[in-house]
Amino acid sequence: MTSPRLTTSRQPLRLLQDRVATGLITAGGVGVLLAILAIGIFLVWETLPLLAIGDALALTTLTPLAWGTLKAALSALLFAIPVALGAAIYSALFMSARLRSRIKPTLEMMEAIPGVVVGFIAGLILAPWVERHLASALVVMIWLPLSAGLAGFCWHLAKTRLRRRLPLSWAGLWLVPWLAFMVTVALWLTPWIEQHWLGGDLRQLLYQRFGMDYATRNAMIVGIAMGFAVIPSIYSLAEDALADVPKTLIEGAQALGASRWQALWKVALTAAGPGIFSAVMIGAGRAVGETMIVLMASGNTALLSANPFEGMRSMSASIAIELPEAAPGTQTYHLLILAALVLFIFTFLVNTLAEVVRHRLRRRYRQLGSMS
């Protein structure tokens, strides 16, 4: 049944509405591009006096800030990437549809938590606890992945009846009490391990053998807190990329004799590789530009050190602290603008690269869809 045609009197009104909507959308897109261009021009213009002087001493003061930014971002990604990608692989390829419809929105809602809240909890609750129980925190971080692998190994060796009661598609639920039990065991055994194997005090052992000082707010705390904030971004994009992989590819690989694990690694991850890369790049961009978490959990000490237990100071944190008090035209002001320009260029390049990779992924999916 065809829809009735518009009357002659309503056709001009409909055309006018379409043109107005198209004009507003075009104006909004052009306005965003012009705003980005204006920000870039402003940053470059304000940085020219510093670059024209060529003061090497002033530029070297930016080195600890750049190192702190890189250190914080790497710490966050080391914590976030395994967790986010593991969760994305499981929810996209193994989790039941009913459980996925509840778990995925919950994980994506974590992105709505303000960074200042995460930084507050990390600086005032997590950092003092880790300082008092450093050995317990390190043992838990090492033991949790091992205990998850142990659970998978035991499930593989279990009888068929037990596997049916504990299906892999619902492992996201029945693993929770197992991991809680493993954490309890690790916390219970850590004092004995520290007393007999680590000389009774892990912090003193690290200082005597490796010369590593421990600060209350350090790169490890920043990595945990910022990684928690970055996980939803990486998870959401990677999960969408894995879920969009044509099922015919995985089923075809299994029909040719590949196991489920081989189909995952050699087919699903390969096909979703550009989308996963895009997710990691966007997560890295957010980690580099994060301000409040680094400001509240890092100690704000500009150090050139690879020690994960020492503090740092990032470019974004320095801009937030010093720019309101820097007089326009001074060397400090231009140096902070230069730091902002570096962050702007890095974020722009990362987002552009992620978008290019995403377009390549879409074209690949269209080609695979047409071939199937």
Side-chain angles (χ1 to χ4, degrees), residues 1-355:
M1 183 176 179
T2 59
S3 58
R5 294 183 178 180
L6 295 175
T7 61
T8 306
S9 60
R10 294 185 59 185
Q11 286 182 354
L13 179 61
R14 181 65 177 271
L15 292 176
L16 178 61
Q17 292 176 350
D18 292 342
R19 291 177 180 176
V20 171
T22 304
L24 291 176
I25 294 173
T26 304
V30 173
V32 170
L33 295 177
L34 292 177
I36 295 176
L37 182 62
I39 292 173
I41 293 175
F42 170 78
L43 294 177
V44 172
W45 181 262
E46 292 294 329
T47 310
L48 285 178
L50 183 64
L51 299 178
I53 296 175
D55 191 352
L57 181 61
L59 296 178
T60 53
T61 57
L62 201 63
T63 304
L65 304 182
W67 173 251
T69 303
L70 181 62
K71 187 178 179 180
L74 289 178
S75 301
L77 292 178
L78 286 176
F79 177 80
I81 288 177
V83 177
L85 294 186
I89 292 171
Y90 172 70
S91 63
L93 304 177
F94 297 96
M95 186 180 291
S96 65
R98 181 181 175 186
L99 185 60
R100 179 175 179 267
S101 63
R102 291 167 172 79
I103 295 297
K104 184 181 179 183
T106 303
L107 292 178
E108 291 176 345
M109 286 178 60
M110 290 170 51
E111 195 170 3
I113 301 177
V116 64
V117 175
V118 178
F120 176 81
I121 296 175
L124 298 183
I125 298 178
L126 179 63
W129 185 88
V130 173
E131 184 181 16
R132 294 192 302 268
H133 308 89
L134 178 60
S136 299
L138 295 179
V139 169
V140 167
M141 286 191 294
I142 296 173
W143 179 239
L144 266 181
L146 297 178
S147 60
L150 179 62
F153 181 73
C154 294
W155 183 88
H156 178 72
L157 297 178
K159 296 182 179 180
T160 306
R161 182 180 301 177
L162 182 59
R163 291 186 186 180
R164 292 176 180 175
R165 292 184 179 181
L166 300 175
L168 185 61
S169 59
W170 288 83
L173 292 183
W174 57 259
L175 264 179
V176 173
W178 167 265
L179 295 178
F181 174 72
M182 289 291 102
V183 170
T184 304
V185 172
L187 294 177
W188 179 64
L189 290 177
T190 298
W192 183 85
I193 295 174
E194 186 176 14
Q195 184 66 32
H196 291 81
W197 292 0
L198 304 177
D201 190 352
L202 179 59
R203 292 173 55 185
Q204 185 177 1
L205 179 66
L206 291 174
Y207 179 75
Q208 291 178 351
R209 289 193 178 183
F210 306 102
M212 299 172 64
D213 293 325
Y214 183 88
T216 303
R217 295 174 176 83
N218 51 58
M220 184 179 68
I221 301 299
V222 172
I224 296 174
M226 195 185 299
F228 178 82
V230 170
I231 283 175
S233 301
I234 301 178
Y235 163 79
S236 180
L237 296 174
E239 205 274 346
D240 290 338
L242 288 167
D244 290 339
V245 174
K247 300 299 181 183
T248 55
L249 293 178
I250 302 177
E251 294 173 355
Q254 292 178 343
L256 292 175
S259 64
R260 196 172 186 179
W261 186 255
Q262 290 174 336
L264 166 65
W265 280 100
K266 297 184 178 180
V267 178
L269 291 181
T270 302
I276 295 175
F277 177 78
S278 175
V280 173
M281 288 295 98
I282 291 177
R286 180 179 177 184
V288 169
E290 180 60 44
T291 302
M292 294 308 301
I293 296 178
V294 181
L295 188 62
M296 302 180 70
S298 66
N300 291 314
T301 52
L303 299 175
L304 274 171
S305 172
N307 184 4
F309 304 124
E310 288 185 347
M312 88 234 358
R313 189 167 190 176
S314 66
M315 293 183 179
S316 57
S318 297
I319 294 171
I321 294 173
E322 299 183 13
L323 189 58
E325 299 179 357
T330 60
Q331 188 180 35
T332 302
Y333 173 82
H334 292 301
L335 191 61
L336 294 174
I337 296 297
L338 177 60
L341 178 62
V342 172
L343 291 176
F344 177 82
I345 294 175
F346 179 83
T347 305
F348 181 80
L349 292 178
V350 166
N351 291 332
T352 303
L353 180 61
E355 191 64 24

